[in-house]
Amino acid sequence: MINTLNKYEISHLKELEAEAIYIMREVAAQFERPVLLFSGGKDSITLVRIAEKAFRPAKFPFPLLHIDTGHNFPETIQFRDRLIARIGEKLIVRYVQDSIDTGRVVEEKGRGASRNKLQTVTLLDAIEEFKFDAAFGGARRDEEKARAKERIFSFRDEFGQWDPKRQRPELWNLYNGRIKKGEHMRVFPISNWTEMDVWQYILLEKLEIPSIYFSHKRKCFYRDGMLVPYSEFLPNDPNEKVEEMTVRFRTVGDMTCTGAVLSTASTLEEIIEEVAQARVTERGSRADDKTSEAAMEERKKEGYF
């Protein structure tokens, strides 16, 4: 399987891996209570492998945190539980439903309703509950223009908010982690990776991933130009025809805002070939990024991942 990657690609991946390991160890040295944000997607799976490379045979110096919308793909939750059982690390789960039940957030109603944005409050409450001072995320600069503005150490104020004008310079791999009480840092060890890099790394490391990344049969329908999965959380309108299609997902998120792509890619090699030919970014299949030109940036300013 590894033979599909040439020596230059492997060398490139090893350089990216070394940088990410350095960043993780830097966080462990500078901060008292870091946490790794885990979604069950390919990027957070990559972060877990980087953490294994950085800290094994010792335990991770941080827990994993999953913000569960209640509308996750079942395959993702099943994968999450298998992974945690394998690595033997602590997983903290906090639920958007609890935030709704306690009145911290109000559930959206209507045709485009989603819990994706509501995760922000649940996440910030969890950071406050456990006094986390640094949170690893799997964001990459190639994903979306707002994320292209990110530093690797992304400063968040006492309200968990992000201001691109307050980001700190990062020269010669020197990272300024100084914060005051109540503030925290979001840290993105794979900022410099691309979607292709992540898939090639998964191939190189032979990592298990959720089955929804591979081609499978699923009931879907078209809505506003997107191919979306039919579910109890996302019913179709009378004029939207539900059909069983052969699809896969390029990104994992809330079922109500994550679009599928028509695909027959059933192996990592085929996924890599498909990504090489793609002309739309992976977040082009996310409805939450299409609400406005600045949708991601506005969510990030509020404390989103």
Side-chain angles (χ1 to χ4, degrees), residues 217-220 242-246:
K217 298 285 188 180
R218 186 178 291 266
K219 289 184 178 180
C220 298
V242 177
E243 298 180 77
E244 187 174 79
M245 305 180 188
T246 302

Side-chain angles (χ1 to χ4, degrees), residues 37 65 67 119-127 186 303-305:
L37 305 180
L65 171 64
I67 303 301
Q119 296 179 85
T120 298
V121 171
T122 311
L123 171 63
L124 294 178
D125 286 350
I127 289 173
R186 302 285 173 88
Y304 187 74
F305 305 128

Side-chain angles (χ1 to χ4, degrees), residues 93-105 115 122:
V93 182
R94 288 296 178 266
Y95 299 91
V96 171
Q97 185 63 54
D98 291 341
S99 298
I100 295 170
D101 292 343
T102 57
R104 292 284 293 145
V105 295
R115 290 184 174 183
T122 311

Side-chain angles (χ1 to χ4, degrees), residues 26-247:
E26 189 72 11
V27 169
Q30 289 196 44
F31 295 90
E32 294 182 2
R33 297 183 67 84
V35 65
L36 192 154
L37 305 180
F38 186 77
S39 69
K42 64 185 183 303
D43 300 312
S44 56
I45 293 168
T46 297
L47 288 184
V48 169
R49 174 48 60 94
I50 296 296
E52 290 180 309
K53 296 285 185 81
F55 303 112
R56 288 293 190 241
K59 285 279 193 179
F60 296 174
F62 44 75
L64 281 67
L65 171 64
H66 181 213
I67 303 301
D68 188 340
T69 68
H71 294 171
N72 298 96
F73 288 92
E75 297 94 330
T76 305
I77 300 300
Q78 292 162 11
F79 170 82
R80 178 200 70 187
D81 294 342
R82 287 199 308 274
L83 177 68
I84 294 302
R86 179 183 69 79
I87 65 175
E89 297 292 342
K90 180 180 179 181
L91 172 69
I92 299 168
V93 182
R94 288 296 178 266
Y95 299 91
V96 171
Q97 185 63 54
D98 291 341
S99 298
I100 295 170
D101 292 343
T102 57
R104 292 284 293 145
V105 295
V106 177
E107 181 137 34
E108 296 178 359
K109 303 295 182 183
R111 185 173 183 270
S114 173
R115 290 184 174 183
N116 197 57
K117 188 176 180 180
L118 306 186
Q119 296 179 85
T120 298
V121 171
T122 311
L123 171 63
L124 294 178
D125 286 350
I127 289 173
E128 173 61 25
E129 176 186 355
F130 293 97
K131 307 301 180 186
F132 293 130
D133 53 5
F136 291 110
R140 308 184 323 270
R141 291 183 179 129
D142 75 319
E143 288 182 272
E144 200 273 343
K145 57 189 176 183
R147 285 182 166 169
K149 297 179 181 181
E150 284 280 18
R151 299 288 195 268
I152 290 174
F153 274 40
S154 179
F155 172 75
R156 304 298 172 107
D157 65 19
E158 64 271 26
F159 301 106
Q161 297 177 330
W162 175 74
D163 182 351
K165 296 179 180 179
R166 295 186 65 189
Q167 300 308 302
R168 300 164 180 177
E170 294 178 345
L171 305 174
W172 306 290
N173 293 331
L174 297 176
Y175 301 112
N176 181 357
R178 185 174 299 176
I179 56 173
K180 298 176 183 177
K181 185 177 180 180
E183 300 171 342
H184 73 277
M185 202 71 73
R186 302 285 173 88
V187 182
F188 304 109
I190 61 172
S191 284
N192 293 327
W193 299 44
T194 65
E195 182 186 8
M196 179 64 80
D197 292 329
V198 171
W199 281 118
Q200 289 184 331
Y201 188 75
I202 289 171
L203 175 63
L204 180 67
E205 294 292 315
K206 302 180 182 179
L207 302 183
E208 182 189 0
I209 56 176
S211 60
I212 61 172
Y213 279 121
F214 297 106
S215 172
H216 61 284
K217 298 285 188 180
R218 186 178 291 266
K219 289 184 178 180
C220 298
F221 61 93
Y222 284 98
R223 171 172 289 179
D224 301 328
M226 280 184 56
L227 185 59
V228 296
Y230 172 80
S231 73
E232 61 180 303
F233 312 122
L234 187 63
N236 61 309
D237 292 339
N239 63 331
E240 294 171 332
K241 184 180 180 182
V242 177
E243 298 180 77
E244 187 174 79
M245 305 180 188
T246 302
V247 302

